[in-house]
Amino acid sequence: MATTPRPTPNPMHPPGNSVPSANWSIDQLPGLSSTDLKRLHAHGIRTTFNLLSLGHTPEKRRILASTLETHIQHINKWIALADLARIPSVGCQHCGLLLHAGVVSPTQLVQTPIARLHRQMLKLQVAMMQRRDLCPTIDQINRWVGQARRLR
């Protein structure tokens, strides 16, 4: 039986009413090719926190793109995915769907009307997968927004 990987809590933040950012293996981010993963691993980038720390400003992203010999658009996409994956209930499972729905950060998720986001994700699931049942529920999206609001 396969086990579901769990996020690594961020030790930089003490427990409280806030939600700790989730840290995932870089291998779990959606959309990375084996070549991308080899480049990231070769430069010591093994977790989403590693990626976020090396690309937290536009200038650092440009440097990272140059170092990894890849296009800046790839770096921006990976950073957005890693940032969304910090929300524990979103993780690597739903960060790609949120990004495709036009949400690029936890801050933007908090600001997006839930009903509109749900409709957009439902349209994407039907168009891409021909399956309505794969769309997250409004309750799930509410949970994401609540965690994003309290994210540290």
Side-chain angles (χ1 to χ4, degrees), residues 114-123 135-138 141:
I114 292 170
R116 186 177 82 204
L117 180 58
H118 183 260
R119 280 192 307 276
Q120 178 65 19
M121 288 193 294
L122 184 58
K123 278 176 31 181
C135 184
T137 65
I138 288 181
I141 298 169

Side-chain angles (χ1 to χ4, degrees), residues 9-127:
N10 185 348
M12 302 293 285
H13 301 289
N17 191 25
S18 57
V19 174
S21 292
N23 185 21
W24 303 89
S25 167
I26 202 71
D27 302 57
Q28 292 182 267
L29 271 186
L32 293 173
S33 70
S34 59
T35 302
D36 296 332
L37 288 171
K38 285 177 188 170
R39 284 185 187 145
L40 290 164
H41 287 174
H43 288 87
I45 302 169
R46 301 200 177 278
T47 69
T48 53
F49 280 2
N50 294 148
L51 180 61
L52 289 168
S53 70
L54 291 172
H56 67 276
T57 66
E59 179 58 28
K60 291 207 176 238
R61 285 184 214 132
R62 282 190 289 278
I63 292 168
L64 189 57
S66 175
T67 301
L68 295 175
E69 298 176 354
T70 193
H71 199 280
I72 188 69
Q73 288 176 324
H74 295 295
I75 300 298
N76 289 334
K77 177 183 173 184
W78 301 342
I79 294 288
L81 289 168
D83 195 21
L84 289 166
R86 291 186 316 120
I87 305 166
S89 59
V90 170
C92 294
Q93 181 181 2
H94 299 290
C95 64
L97 179 59
L98 278 171
L99 189 62
H100 281 286
V103 176
V104 297
S105 70
T107 302
Q108 186 181 0
L109 175 60
V110 169
Q111 297 169 351
T112 303
I114 292 170
R116 186 177 82 204
L117 180 58
H118 183 260
R119 280 192 307 276
Q120 178 65 19
M121 288 193 294
L122 184 58
K123 278 176 31 181
L124 284 168
Q125 288 291 24
V126 169

